[in-house]
Amino acid sequence: MRTSSMLEQLMEALRCLPGVGPKSAQRMAFHLLQRNRKGGLQLAEALSQAMTEIGHCDQCRTFTEQDTCHICTNPKRQSNGQMCVVETPADIAAIEATGQYSGRYFVLMGHLSPLDGIGPSDIGLDLLDYRLAQGDIEEVILATNPTVEGEATAHYIAQLCKAHEVNASRIAHGVPMGGELELVDGTTLSHSLLGRLKL
Amino acid sequence: MRTSSMLEQLMEALRCLPGVGPKSAQRMAFHLLQRNRKGGLQLAEALSQAMTEIGHCDQCRTFTEQDTCHICTNPKRQSNGQMCVVETPADIAAIEATGQYSGRYFVLMGHLSPLDGIGPSDIGLDLLDYRLAQGDIEEVILATNPTVEGEATAHYIAQLCKAHEVNASRIAHGVPMGGELELVDGTTLSHSLLGRLKL
């Protein structure tokens, strides 16, 4: 369809969002134009601000528009000797939502992947090395994804912790709560057997 | 979750898009920040341009950044005496995609809905009245939605056409192509019987 070129540009631009195809982009563009121009303008403003001003925390590498994020500057978090290593800022959101953790974080922004040319310095392990050397971290909790790359990254960081004489632990893998044992895949089930806890 | 306030603003702003909840908004924000900041900036630009500059065509009321849209200014379309009345600009897109129609359009931007206080002038029927009076329209094809409001709107416009001695027709309602007769609802089936064509 040939429409006004500005509308076409908007539909094309909306497709940079994950999960938005041509049909959804059209629906979004018409919705904003017809019903919510103010919201559209606010979105434009928030987008251009976020894209230009949000950088990485100089302590944990998560997204923040300040030099240091609000978790790293929190004195309560600083006195806690735990550091949780995650792959993405979204993982911080998930862990914070549990309310079970009150230490600091370190965000890799990816995982080791030699085939894609992603080595230790690309995921900030030089900064992690520096932070472990400072000596205020007592335990590193490795919460990378349970994938081949995530496991390899966790293993690599565990070695780094050993070199600095810092305890390293890995989050438990096993049967998800509320699931049925018979529907759980074999690898998960064998992990849950190997990682059994004494009652 | 408390994150950087700019990130929170972005997630909140993304929720003005139809079908985007808190989870999708978070995914979109992180995706843009991590992988496609350039795309995000382009989207911001396209959005602010579209929201401020796109208005309505002075002939057919569809979205355009010009005074008159490219369909209304097309001389081939002008010499065609047909006018198709639709509820939204998205309907134009759908009809254009069929390649079956080469006349002009008129976009109501809604339908008559007395309960919501939407009367004839709110859906541009004064402009339609003026255009019908000009005398270059020979047939009005009513392609409003097959809903109660759409049918009522079509009926109202058919009366308007009668007053101007212009032919009015309604698009056919019946069994969709490729569907199975046994799965079609009763109202549609009775419409397809009533609207049967002689072979």
Side-chain angles (χ1 to χ4, degrees):
Chain A
M1 177 207 180
R2 279 194 59 232
T3 46
S4 88
S5 57
M6 221 174 258
L7 192 55
E8 263 172 26
Q9 274 167 27
L10 176 58
M11 288 183 201
E12 190 56 44
L14 279 165
R15 294 186 55 193
C16 75
L17 297 171
V20 175
K23 273 269 167 194
S24 315
Q26 184 186 311
R27 189 164 145 249
M28 286 172 171
F30 283 136
H31 173 88
L32 290 179
L33 283 169
Q34 234 166 317
R35 273 166 249 238
N36 199 355
R37 293 204 182 213
K38 208 177 136 215
L41 281 174
Q42 275 168 353
L43 176 55
E45 176 67 21
L47 264 173
S48 72
Q49 227 182 21
M51 294 302 127
T52 48
E53 289 179 37
I54 291 183
H56 294 282
C57 170
D58 56 12
Q59 294 283 311
C60 73
R61 307 204 338 140
T62 193
F63 290 128
T64 178
E65 68 268 26
Q66 272 113 33
D67 294 335
T68 312
C69 75
H70 73 279
I71 291 181
C72 289
T73 48
N74 185 337
K76 264 194 195 156
R77 303 267 185 163
Q78 279 169 344
S79 60
N80 183 317
Q82 293 179 316
M83 174 189 270
C84 183
V85 178
V86 292
E87 292 189 19
T88 66
D91 297 335
I92 297 191
I95 293 175
E96 285 293 290
T98 67
Q100 285 291 319
Y101 181 73
S102 54
R104 281 164 287 177
Y105 291 93
F106 190 86
V107 185
L108 302 172
M109 290 282 169
H111 45 234
L112 286 179
S113 179
L115 286 177
D116 302 318
I118 300 173
S121 65
D122 299 308
I123 58 170
L125 294 191
D126 39 358
L127 177 61
L128 183 62
D129 189 56
Y130 170 75
R131 289 203 56 193
L132 290 176
Q134 288 177 316
D136 61 337
I137 309 289
E138 287 152 28
E139 185 188 0
V140 169
I141 299 171
L142 296 162
T144 52
N145 289 334
T147 56
V148 177
E149 293 92 346
E151 293 289 347
T153 309
H155 184 75
Y156 188 97
I157 298 173
Q159 298 296 317
L160 198 68
C161 293
K162 217 175 198 175
H164 287 284
E165 290 177 355
V166 171
N167 292 323
S169 59
R170 182 90 174 103
I171 52 166
H173 296 136
V175 179
M177 301 303 289
E180 285 188 54
L181 217 67
E182 99 181 72
L183 302 175
V184 170
D185 65 292
T187 321
T188 304
L189 207 53
S190 51
H191 265 282
S192 79
L193 282 169
L194 286 171
R196 66 189 181 277
L197 295 172
K198 212 171 167 181
L199 292 179
Chain B
M1 174 206 181
R2 278 193 62 230
T3 45
S4 88
S5 57
M6 220 174 259
L7 191 56
E8 262 174 26
Q9 273 167 28
L10 175 58
M11 288 184 202
E12 190 55 44
L14 278 166
R15 294 187 55 191
C16 75
L17 297 171
V20 176
K23 273 269 168 193
S24 316
Q26 184 186 311
R27 190 165 142 246
M28 286 174 170
F30 283 135
H31 173 88
L32 290 179
L33 283 168
Q34 234 166 318
R35 273 166 250 238
N36 199 356
R37 291 203 184 214
K38 208 178 136 215
L41 282 175
Q42 276 168 353
L43 175 55
E45 177 67 19
L47 264 174
S48 73
Q49 228 184 17
M51 294 302 128
T52 47
E53 288 178 36
I54 291 183
H56 295 281
C57 170
D58 56 12
Q59 293 284 310
C60 74
R61 305 202 342 138
T62 194
F63 290 129
T64 179
E65 67 268 27
Q66 271 110 37
D67 292 335
T68 312
C69 74
H70 73 280
I71 291 180
C72 288
T73 49
N74 185 337
K76 263 194 198 158
R77 303 266 186 165
Q78 279 171 344
S79 61
N80 183 317
Q82 293 180 315
M83 174 189 268
C84 183
V85 178
V86 293
E87 291 190 18
T88 66
D91 298 334
I92 296 191
I95 292 175
E96 286 292 290
T98 67
Q100 284 292 317
Y101 180 72
S102 55
R104 282 164 287 176
Y105 291 93
F106 190 86
V107 185
L108 302 172
M109 291 283 168
H111 45 234
L112 286 179
S113 179
L115 286 178
D116 302 317
I118 300 173
S121 64
D122 299 307
I123 57 170
L125 294 191
D126 40 358
L127 177 61
L128 183 63
D129 190 55
Y130 170 75
R131 289 204 55 194
L132 290 175
Q134 286 176 316
D136 61 337
I137 308 290
E138 286 151 27
E139 185 189 359
V140 169
I141 300 172
L142 297 161
T144 52
N145 290 333
T147 56
V148 177
E149 292 92 347
E151 292 290 345
T153 310
H155 183 75
Y156 188 96
I157 298 172
Q159 298 296 316
L160 199 68
C161 293
K162 217 175 198 174
H164 287 283
E165 291 178 353
V166 171
N167 291 322
S169 59
R170 182 88 173 105
I171 51 166
H173 296 136
V175 179
M177 301 303 289
E180 284 188 55
L181 218 66
E182 109 181 63
L183 302 175
V184 171
D185 65 292
T187 321
T188 304
L189 207 53
S190 51
H191 265 282
S192 78
L193 283 169
L194 288 171
R196 66 189 180 279
L197 295 172
K198 211 172 168 182
L199 292 178

